[in-house]
Amino acid sequence: MNETMVCVVGNVATRPVYREMASGPAARFRIAVTSRYWDREKSAWADGHTNFFTVWANRQLATNAAASLSVGEPVIVQGRLKVRSETREGQQGWMSADIDAVSIGHDLARGTAAFRRAQRPERAPTPERPEPNWESEPENSATADGTAPQQHPEPAAVT
């Protein structure tokens, strides 16, 4: 509920690794995010520090990311930031910053992409239902005794 949502822009640093898990498909890759700043002394843009994040994708996003991403491509990743720290006996402690991806896409400010919808498995056909009669009787029609005809609403099919 109170999770830290981030949006990072960077380059794919490692080939996506795809796995079929018991909970469904999963993929992970590293993204390199380098800050840029204007160096007044050189009058040119310069690269700053590079941060690396491990991006985790699940289900259909994992399948599509593994099929679409290559090392070096510019991407935009939106997701939940998870910072983990761990210490092991006899080893130095380490920290990692992971992103549980909600959305991944190519950065169109730095190139072009050709989007293709993922193929979905076919759904079972739904049984046909008769179309309800939506037309109403004309307002000036009356029965033989001069009263307006009684109208019964037809059931509408909900799809």
Side-chain angles (χ1 to χ4, degrees), residues 10-96:
N11 293 315
V12 177
T14 62
R15 181 181 55 80
V17 176
Y18 179 83
R19 299 271 191 265
E20 285 288 340
M21 310 291 273
S23 60
R28 68 173 162 78
F29 65 93
R30 302 270 288 162
I31 184 173
V33 180
T34 303
S35 64
R36 302 220 356 126
Y37 65 94
W38 180 256
D39 188 341
R40 290 185 205 175
E41 294 173 3
K42 298 178 183 175
S43 294
W45 287 98
D47 288 340
H49 179 73
T50 301
N51 292 307
F52 289 90
F53 299 94
T54 300
V55 178
W56 295 88
N58 295 302
R59 295 177 290 283
Q60 190 64 43
L61 182 59
T63 304
N64 294 343
S68 302
L69 301 179
S70 299
V71 174
E73 292 180 342
V75 291
I76 301 172
V77 175
Q78 181 180 9
R80 292 176 287 280
L81 179 65
K82 310 272 183 174
V83 178
R84 299 182 300 137
S85 61
E86 189 173 320
T87 55
R88 295 181 182 160
E89 262 186 63
Q91 295 182 1
Q92 188 177 15
W94 58 272
M95 293 184 70
S96 70

